[in-house]
Coordinates of all heavy atoms in Angstrom, one line a residue:
M86 N 41.3 92.2 -4.4 CA 41.1 91.1 -5.3 C 42.1 91.0 -6.4 O 42.7 90.0 -6.7 CB 39.6 91.1 -5.9 CG 39.4 90.0 -6.9 SD 38.8 88.6 -6.1 CE 37.7 87.9 -7.3
T87 N 42.4 92.3 -7.0 CA 43.4 92.4 -8.1 C 44.8 92.0 -7.6 O 45.6 91.3 -8.2 CB 43.4 93.8 -8.6 OG1 42.1 94.1 -9.1 CG2 44.4 93.9 -9.8
Q88 N 45.1 92.4 -6.4 CA 46.4 92.1 -5.8 C 46.5 90.6 -5.6 O 47.6 90.0 -5.9 CB 46.6 92.8 -4.6 CG 48.0 92.6 -3.9 CD 48.3 93.4 -2.8 OE1 47.3 94.0 -2.2 NE2 49.5 93.6 -2.4
D89 N 45.4 89.9 -5.2 CA 45.5 88.4 -5.0 C 45.7 87.8 -6.4 O 46.5 86.8 -6.5 CB 44.2 87.9 -4.4 CG 44.0 88.3 -2.9 OD1 45.1 88.6 -2.4 OD2 42.9 88.3 -2.5
L90 N 45.1 88.3 -7.5 CA 45.2 87.7 -8.7 C 46.6 87.9 -9.3 O 47.3 86.9 -9.8 CB 44.3 88.3 -9.7 CG 44.3 87.9 -11.2 CD1 44.1 86.4 -11.2 CD2 43.2 88.7 -12.0
E91 N 47.2 89.1 -9.0 CA 48.6 89.3 -9.4 C 49.6 88.5 -8.7 O 50.5 87.9 -9.3 CB 48.9 90.8 -9.1 CG 48.2 91.8 -10.1 CD 48.5 93.2 -9.8 OE1 49.4 93.5 -9.0 OE2 47.8 94.0 -10.4
S92 N 49.4 88.3 -7.4 CA 50.3 87.4 -6.6 C 50.1 86.0 -7.0 O 51.2 85.3 -7.0 CB 50.0 87.6 -5.1 OG 48.7 87.1 -4.7
T93 N 49.0 85.5 -7.3 CA 48.8 84.2 -7.8 C 49.5 83.9 -9.2 O 50.1 83.0 -9.4 CB 47.3 83.8 -8.0 OG1 46.7 83.9 -6.7 CG2 47.1 82.4 -8.6
T94 N 49.4 84.9 -10.0 CA 50.1 85.0 -11.3 C 51.6 84.9 -11.2 O 52.2 84.1 -11.8 CB 49.7 86.2 -12.1 OG1 48.2 86.3 -12.3 CG2 50.3 86.2 -13.5
V95 N 52.1 85.6 -10.2 CA 53.6 85.6 -10.0 C 54.0 84.3 -9.4 O 55.0 83.7 -9.9 CB 54.0 86.7 -9.0 CG1 55.4 86.5 -8.5 CG2 53.8 88.1 -9.5
L96 N 53.2 83.6 -8.5 CA 53.6 82.3 -7.9 C 53.5 81.3 -9.1 O 54.3 80.3 -9.1 CB 52.7 81.9 -6.8 CG 52.9 82.9 -5.5 CD1 51.9 82.6 -4.5 CD2 54.3 82.5 -5.0
K97 N 52.5 81.3 -10.0 CA 52.4 80.4 -11.0 C 53.7 80.5 -11.9 O 54.1 79.4 -12.3 CB 51.1 80.6 -11.8 CG 49.9 80.2 -11.2 CD 48.6 80.6 -11.8 CE 48.4 80.3 -13.3 NZ 47.1 80.8 -13.8
E98 N 54.1 81.7 -12.2 CA 55.3 81.9 -13.0 C 56.5 81.3 -12.4 O 57.4 80.8 -12.9 CB 55.4 83.3 -13.4 CG 56.7 83.6 -14.3 CD 56.5 82.8 -15.6 OE1 55.5 82.6 -16.2 OE2 57.7 82.4 -16.0
K99 N 56.7 81.6 -11.0 CA 57.8 81.2 -10.3 C 58.0 79.7 -10.1 O 59.1 79.1 -10.1 CB 57.8 81.9 -8.9 CG 59.0 81.7 -8.1 CD 58.8 82.4 -6.8 CE 60.0 82.2 -5.9 NZ 59.9 82.9 -4.6
A100 N 56.8 79.0 -10.1 CA 56.8 77.6 -9.7 C 57.3 76.7 -10.9 O 57.2 77.1 -12.1 CB 55.4 77.2 -9.5
D101 N 58.0 75.6 -10.5 CA 58.4 74.6 -11.6 C 57.2 73.8 -11.9 O 57.0 73.4 -13.1 CB 59.5 73.8 -11.0 CG 60.8 74.4 -10.8 OD1 61.2 75.4 -11.6 OD2 61.5 74.0 -9.8
I102 N 56.3 73.5 -10.9 CA 55.1 72.8 -11.3 C 53.9 73.5 -10.6 O 54.0 74.0 -9.5 CB 55.3 71.4 -10.6 CG1 56.4 70.6 -11.1 CG2 54.0 70.6 -10.8 CD1 56.8 69.3 -10.4
V103 N 52.9 73.6 -11.3 CA 51.6 74.1 -10.8 C 50.5 73.0 -11.0 O 50.3 72.5 -12.0 CB 51.1 75.4 -11.6 CG1 49.8 75.8 -11.1 CG2 52.3 76.4 -11.5
F104 N 49.9 72.7 -9.8 CA 48.8 71.8 -9.8 C 47.6 72.5 -9.5 O 47.6 73.5 -8.8 CB 49.0 70.8 -8.7 CG 50.1 69.9 -8.8 CD1 51.2 69.9 -8.0 CD2 50.2 68.8 -9.8 CE1 52.3 69.1 -8.1 CE2 51.3 67.9 -9.9 CZ 52.3 68.1 -9.0
I105 N 46.4 72.1 -10.2 CA 45.1 72.6 -9.8 C 44.3 71.5 -9.2 O 44.2 70.4 -9.8 CB 44.4 73.1 -11.1 CG1 45.3 74.3 -11.8 CG2 43.0 73.6 -10.8 CD1 44.7 74.7 -13.1
K106 N 43.9 71.8 -7.9 CA 43.1 70.7 -7.2 C 41.7 70.6 -7.8 O 40.9 71.5 -7.8 CB 43.1 71.1 -5.7 CG 42.4 70.0 -5.0 CD 42.4 70.3 -3.4 CE 41.8 69.1 -2.7 NZ 41.8 69.5 -1.3
I107 N 41.5 69.5 -8.4 CA 40.2 69.2 -9.0 C 39.1 68.8 -7.9 O 38.0 69.3 -7.9 CB 40.3 68.2 -10.1 CG1 41.3 68.6 -11.2 CG2 38.9 67.8 -10.7 CD1 40.9 69.9 -12.0
T108 N 39.6 67.8 -7.1 CA 38.7 67.3 -6.2 C 39.7 66.6 -5.1 O 40.9 66.5 -5.4 CB 37.7 66.3 -6.6 OG1 36.8 65.9 -5.5 CG2 38.2 65.1 -7.3
S109 N 39.2 66.1 -4.0 CA 40.1 65.4 -3.1 C 40.8 64.3 -3.8 O 40.2 63.3 -4.2 CB 39.2 64.9 -2.0 OG 40.0 64.2 -1.0
G110 N 42.1 64.4 -3.7 CA 43.0 63.3 -4.3 C 43.2 63.5 -5.8 O 44.0 62.6 -6.3
I111 N 42.7 64.3 -6.6 CA 42.8 64.5 -8.0 C 43.4 65.9 -8.3 O 42.7 66.9 -8.0 CB 41.6 64.1 -8.7 CG1 41.2 62.8 -8.5 CG2 41.9 64.3 -10.3 CD1 39.8 62.4 -9.2
Y112 N 44.5 66.0 -9.0 CA 45.1 67.2 -9.3 C 45.4 67.3 -10.8 O 45.9 66.3 -11.4 CB 46.4 67.4 -8.6 CG 46.2 67.5 -7.1 CD1 46.1 66.4 -6.3 CD2 46.1 68.7 -6.5 CE1 45.9 66.4 -5.0 CE2 46.0 68.8 -5.1 CZ 45.9 67.6 -4.4 OH 45.7 67.7 -3.0
Q113 N 45.1 68.4 -11.4 CA 45.4 68.6 -12.9 C 46.8 69.3 -12.9 O 47.1 70.2 -12.2 CB 44.5 69.5 -13.6 CG 44.7 69.7 -15.0 CD 43.8 70.6 -15.7 OE1 42.9 71.2 -15.1 NE2 43.7 70.7 -17.0
I114 N 47.6 68.8 -13.8 CA 49.0 69.5 -14.0 C 48.8 70.6 -14.9 O 48.4 70.5 -16.1 CB 50.0 68.4 -14.6 CG1 50.1 67.3 -13.8 CG2 51.3 69.1 -14.8 CD1 50.8 66.1 -14.4
H115 N 49.0 71.8 -14.4 CA 48.8 73.1 -15.2 C 50.1 73.5 -15.9 O 50.1 74.1 -16.9 CB 48.2 74.2 -14.3 CG 48.0 75.5 -15.0 ND1 47.1 75.7 -15.9 CD2 48.7 76.7 -14.8 CE1 47.1 76.9 -16.4 NE2 48.2 77.5 -15.8
K116 N 51.2 73.2 -15.1 CA 52.5 73.6 -15.6 C 53.5 72.6 -15.0 O 53.4 72.2 -13.9 CB 52.9 75.1 -15.0 CG 54.2 75.5 -15.4 CD 54.5 76.8 -14.8 CE 55.9 77.3 -14.9 NZ 56.2 78.5 -14.2
D117 N 54.5 72.2 -16.0 CA 55.4 71.2 -15.6 C 56.8 71.6 -16.4 O 57.0 71.1 -17.4 CB 55.0 69.8 -16.0 CG 56.0 68.7 -15.7 OD1 56.9 69.0 -14.9 OD2 55.8 67.6 -16.1
R118 N 57.4 72.6 -15.7 CA 58.5 73.2 -16.5 C 59.7 72.2 -16.8 O 60.3 72.2 -17.9 CB 59.1 74.3 -15.6 CG 60.3 75.0 -16.2 CD 60.9 76.2 -15.3 NE 59.8 77.2 -15.4 CZ 59.7 78.1 -14.4 NH1 60.3 78.1 -13.3 NH2 58.8 79.1 -14.6
N119 N 59.9 71.1 -15.9 CA 61.0 70.3 -16.1 C 60.5 68.9 -16.8 O 61.3 68.0 -17.0 CB 61.6 70.0 -14.8 CG 62.3 71.3 -14.2 OD1 62.8 72.1 -14.8 ND2 62.2 71.4 -12.9
G120 N 59.3 68.9 -17.2 CA 58.8 67.6 -17.7 C 58.8 66.4 -16.9 O 58.8 65.3 -17.4
R121 N 58.7 66.6 -15.7 CA 58.7 65.6 -14.7 C 57.4 64.7 -14.9 O 57.5 63.4 -14.6 CB 58.6 66.1 -13.3 CG 58.6 65.0 -12.2 CD 58.6 65.7 -10.8 NE 58.6 64.7 -9.7 CZ 59.1 64.8 -8.6 NH1 59.6 65.9 -8.3 NH2 59.0 63.9 -7.7
F122 N 56.3 65.3 -15.3 CA 55.0 64.6 -15.5 C 54.7 64.4 -16.9 O 53.5 64.4 -17.3 CB 53.9 65.1 -14.7 CG 54.1 65.1 -13.2 CD1 54.6 66.3 -12.5 CD2 53.9 64.0 -12.5 CE1 54.8 66.3 -11.2 CE2 54.2 63.9 -11.1 CZ 54.6 65.1 -10.4
A123 N 55.6 64.3 -17.8 CA 55.4 64.3 -19.3 C 54.4 63.2 -19.7 O 54.6 62.1 -19.2 CB 56.8 64.1 -20.1
G124 N 53.4 63.7 -20.4 CA 52.4 62.7 -20.9 C 51.2 62.6 -20.0 O 50.3 61.9 -20.3
K125 N 51.3 63.1 -18.8 CA 50.2 63.0 -17.8 C 49.4 64.3 -17.8 O 49.9 65.4 -18.0 CB 50.8 62.8 -16.4 CG 51.4 61.4 -16.3 CD 51.7 61.1 -14.8 CE 52.3 59.7 -14.7 NZ 52.6 59.5 -13.3
V126 N 48.1 64.2 -17.6 CA 47.3 65.4 -17.4 C 46.8 65.4 -15.9 O 46.8 66.6 -15.4 CB 46.0 65.3 -18.3 CG1 45.1 66.4 -18.0 CG2 46.5 65.2 -19.7
Y127 N 46.6 64.3 -15.3 CA 46.2 64.2 -13.9 C 47.1 63.5 -13.0 O 47.6 62.4 -13.5 CB 44.7 63.7 -13.8 CG 43.7 64.5 -14.6 CD1 43.3 64.1 -15.8 CD2 43.2 65.7 -14.1 CE1 42.5 64.9 -16.5 CE2 42.3 66.5 -14.8 CZ 41.9 66.0 -16.0 OH 41.1 66.8 -16.7
V128 N 47.2 63.8 -11.7 CA 48.0 63.0 -10.8 C 47.2 62.9 -9.5 O 46.3 63.7 -9.3 CB 49.5 63.6 -10.6 CG1 50.3 63.5 -11.8 CG2 49.3 65.0 -10.0
G129 N 47.7 62.0 -8.7 CA 47.1 61.8 -7.3 C 47.9 62.5 -6.2 O 48.9 63.0 -6.5
T130 N 47.3 62.3 -5.1 CA 47.9 62.9 -4.0 C 49.4 62.5 -3.7 O 50.2 63.4 -3.4 CB 47.1 62.6 -2.7 OG1 45.7 63.1 -2.9 CG2 47.7 63.3 -1.4
Q131 N 49.7 61.3 -3.8 CA 51.1 60.9 -3.6 C 52.1 61.5 -4.5 O 53.2 61.9 -4.1 CB 51.2 59.3 -3.7 CG 52.6 58.8 -3.2 CD 52.9 59.2 -1.8 OE1 52.1 59.0 -0.9 NE2 54.1 59.8 -1.6
E132 N 51.7 61.6 -5.8 CA 52.7 62.3 -6.8 C 52.8 63.8 -6.4 O 53.9 64.3 -6.6 CB 52.1 62.2 -8.2 CG 52.2 60.7 -8.7 CD 51.4 60.4 -9.8 OE1 50.1 60.6 -9.9 OE2 52.0 60.0 -10.9
V133 N 51.7 64.5 -5.9 CA 51.9 65.8 -5.5 C 52.8 65.9 -4.3 O 53.6 66.8 -4.3 CB 50.4 66.4 -5.2 CG1 50.5 67.8 -4.6 CG2 49.6 66.4 -6.5
L134 N 52.7 65.1 -3.4 CA 53.5 65.1 -2.2 C 55.0 64.9 -2.6 O 55.8 65.6 -2.1 CB 53.0 63.9 -1.2 CG 51.8 64.2 -0.5 CD1 51.2 63.0 0.3 CD2 51.8 65.5 0.4
D135 N 55.2 63.9 -3.4 CA 56.6 63.6 -3.9 C 57.1 64.9 -4.6 O 58.3 65.3 -4.3 CB 56.6 62.5 -4.9 CG 56.3 61.2 -4.3 OD1 56.4 61.1 -3.0 OD2 56.0 60.2 -5.1
A136 N 56.4 65.6 -5.5 CA 56.8 66.7 -6.1 C 57.1 67.9 -5.0 O 58.2 68.7 -5.2 CB 55.8 67.3 -7.1
L137 N 56.4 68.0 -4.0 CA 56.6 69.0 -3.0 C 57.9 68.8 -2.3 O 58.5 69.8 -1.9 CB 55.5 69.0 -2.0 CG 54.1 69.6 -2.4 CD1 53.0 69.2 -1.4 CD2 54.2 71.1 -2.5
N138 N 58.4 67.6 -2.3 CA 59.8 67.4 -1.7 C 60.9 67.8 -2.6 O 62.0 68.0 -2.0 CB 59.9 65.9 -1.3 CG 59.0 65.5 -0.2 OD1 59.1 66.3 0.9 ND2 58.3 64.5 -0.2
F139 N 60.8 68.0 -3.9 CA 61.9 68.2 -4.7 C 61.7 69.3 -5.6 O 62.8 69.8 -6.2 CB 62.1 66.9 -5.6 CG 62.3 65.6 -4.8 CD1 61.4 64.7 -4.6 CD2 63.5 65.5 -4.1 CE1 61.6 63.5 -3.9 CE2 63.8 64.3 -3.3 CZ 62.9 63.4 -3.2
D140 N 60.7 69.9 -5.7 CA 60.5 71.0 -6.7 C 59.7 72.2 -6.1 O 59.1 72.0 -5.1 CB 59.6 70.6 -7.9 CG 60.2 69.4 -8.8 OD1 61.3 69.7 -9.3 OD2 59.7 68.2 -8.7
D141 N 59.8 73.3 -6.7 CA 59.1 74.5 -6.3 C 57.6 74.4 -6.9 O 57.5 74.3 -8.1 CB 59.6 75.8 -6.8 CG 60.9 76.1 -6.1 OD1 61.1 75.7 -4.9 OD2 61.8 76.8 -6.7
V142 N 56.6 74.2 -6.0 CA 55.3 73.9 -6.4 C 54.3 74.9 -5.9 O 54.4 75.4 -4.8 CB 54.9 72.5 -5.8 CG1 53.4 72.1 -6.1 CG2 55.8 71.4 -6.3
T143 N 53.3 75.2 -6.7 CA 52.2 75.9 -6.4 C 50.9 75.0 -6.6 O 50.8 74.4 -7.6 CB 52.0 77.3 -7.2 OG1 53.3 78.0 -6.9 CG2 50.8 78.0 -6.9
I144 N 50.0 75.1 -5.7 CA 48.8 74.4 -5.8 C 47.6 75.4 -5.7 O 47.5 76.2 -4.7 CB 48.5 73.3 -4.6 CG1 49.7 72.3 -4.7 CG2 47.2 72.6 -4.8 CD1 49.7 71.4 -3.5
L145 N 46.7 75.3 -6.7 CA 45.6 76.3 -6.8 C 44.3 75.5 -6.7 O 44.2 74.3 -7.0 CB 45.6 77.0 -8.2 CG 46.9 77.8 -8.4 CD1 46.9 78.3 -9.9 CD2 47.1 79.0 -7.5
R146 N 43.2 76.2 -6.5 CA 42.0 75.6 -6.5 C 41.5 75.4 -8.0 O 42.2 75.8 -8.8 CB 40.9 76.6 -5.9 CG 41.1 76.6 -4.4 CD 39.8 77.2 -3.8 NE 40.0 77.5 -2.4 CZ 40.0 76.6 -1.4 NH1 39.7 75.4 -1.7 NH2 40.1 77.0 -0.2
K147 N 40.4 74.7 -8.3 CA 39.9 74.3 -9.6 C 39.9 75.5 -10.5 O 40.3 75.4 -11.7 CB 38.6 73.6 -9.5 CG 38.2 73.0 -10.9 CD 36.8 72.3 -10.7 CE 36.4 71.7 -12.0 NZ 35.1 71.0 -11.9
D148 N 39.3 76.6 -10.1 CA 39.4 77.8 -10.9 C 40.8 78.2 -11.0 O 41.5 78.5 -10.1 CB 38.5 78.9 -10.2 CG 38.6 80.2 -11.0 OD1 39.3 80.3 -11.9 OD2 38.0 81.2 -10.5
N149 N 41.2 78.3 -12.3 CA 42.7 78.6 -12.7 C 43.3 79.7 -11.9 O 44.4 79.8 -11.4 CB 42.9 78.8 -14.1 CG 44.0 78.1 -14.6 OD1 44.7 77.3 -13.9 ND2 44.2 78.2 -15.9
N150 N 42.4 80.8 -11.6 CA 42.8 82.0 -11.0 C 42.3 82.1 -9.6 O 42.3 83.1 -9.0 CB 42.4 83.3 -11.8 CG 43.1 83.3 -13.0 OD1 44.3 83.1 -13.1 ND2 42.4 83.6 -14.1
G151 N 41.9 80.9 -9.1 CA 41.3 80.8 -7.8 C 42.3 81.1 -6.7 O 43.5 81.2 -6.9
P152 N 41.9 81.0 -5.5 CA 42.8 81.2 -4.3 C 43.9 80.2 -4.3 O 43.7 78.9 -4.6 CB 41.8 81.0 -3.1 CG 40.5 81.2 -3.5 CD 40.5 80.8 -5.1
L153 N 45.1 80.6 -3.8 CA 46.2 79.7 -3.6 C 45.9 78.8 -2.5 O 45.4 79.3 -1.4 CB 47.4 80.7 -3.3 CG 48.7 80.0 -2.9 CD1 49.2 79.3 -4.2 CD2 49.6 81.0 -2.3
L154 N 46.2 77.6 -2.7 CA 46.0 76.6 -1.5 C 47.3 76.3 -0.8 O 47.5 76.2 0.3 CB 45.5 75.2 -2.1 CG 44.1 75.2 -2.6 CD1 43.8 73.8 -3.2 CD2 43.2 75.6 -1.5
H155 N 48.5 76.4 -1.6 CA 49.8 76.0 -1.0 C 50.9 76.5 -2.0 O 50.7 76.3 -3.2 CB 49.9 74.6 -0.7 CG 51.2 74.2 0.0 ND1 51.4 74.6 1.3 CD2 52.3 73.7 -0.5 CE1 52.7 74.2 1.6 NE2 53.2 73.6 0.6
E156 N 52.0 76.8 -1.5 CA 53.3 77.1 -2.2 C 54.5 76.6 -1.3 O 54.3 76.8 -0.1 CB 53.4 78.4 -2.9 CG 53.4 79.5 -1.9 CD 54.7 79.9 -1.2 OE1 55.7 79.3 -1.7 OE2 54.7 80.7 -0.3
N157 N 55.5 76.1 -1.8 CA 56.6 75.7 -1.0 C 57.9 76.3 -1.3 O 59.0 75.7 -1.1 CB 56.7 74.2 -1.1 CG 57.3 73.7 -2.4 OD1 57.1 74.4 -3.4 ND2 57.8 72.5 -2.5
F158 N 57.8 77.6 -1.8 CA 59.1 78.3 -1.9 C 59.9 78.6 -0.7 O 59.3 78.9 0.3 CB 58.8 79.6 -2.7 CG 58.0 79.4 -4.0 CD1 56.8 80.1 -4.3 CD2 58.3 78.4 -4.9 CE1 56.1 79.9 -5.4 CE2 57.7 78.2 -6.0 CZ 56.5 79.0 -6.3
N159 N 61.2 78.6 -0.7 CA 62.0 78.8 0.4 C 62.3 80.3 0.6 O 62.7 80.7 1.8 CB 63.3 78.0 0.3 CG 63.2 76.6 0.3 OD1 62.3 76.1 1.1 ND2 64.0 75.9 -0.4
D160 N 62.1 81.2 -0.2 CA 62.4 82.6 -0.1 C 61.2 83.3 0.3 O 60.1 83.1 0.2 CB 63.1 83.1 -1.3 CG 62.4 82.9 -2.6 OD1 62.6 81.8 -3.1 OD2 61.6 83.8 -3.1

């Protein structure tokens, strides 16, 4: 469990954008390093999909330290 928490923390730090999945189709912006979503707190599925195409993204469950749902890092 501790190792999972550590790896989630590392992925959150590495990501340009971190989304927390609130419910189906609604994501909270937890981190936005480049200001792509400046002024927004929540985004929908299409905005998350667009970000996955251009940025390093981590998606977590509603619990901030919950299980990783997805990351798109190339290394």
Side-chain angles (χ1 to χ4, degrees):
M86 177 85 147
T87 302
Q88 188 173 17
D89 290 340
L90 181 58
E91 288 175 11
S92 64
T93 300
T94 301
V95 169
L96 289 172
K97 284 169 55 178
E98 181 59 34
K99 185 177 177 181
D101 292 327
I102 302 172
V103 176
F104 295 110
I105 299 172
K106 184 176 182 180
I107 303 298
T108 187
S109 180
I111 300 174
Y112 297 82
Q113 179 181 13
I114 302 164
H115 177 71
K116 175 182 174 184
D117 182 13
R118 181 176 287 151
N119 300 323
R121 180 178 182 155
F122 298 100
K125 293 186 177 182
V126 176
Y127 300 99
V128 293
T130 303
Q131 188 59 53
E132 291 166 300
V133 172
L134 290 172
D135 291 344
L137 284 166
N138 285 314
F139 300 106
D140 297 295
D141 290 333
V142 173
T143 297
I144 302 172
L145 303 172
R146 292 197 187 276
K147 186 176 181 180
D148 175 0
N149 228 2
N150 295 313
L153 174 70
L154 291 178
H155 182 76
E156 56 87 8
N157 70 336
F158 305 130
N159 293 324
D160 49 278

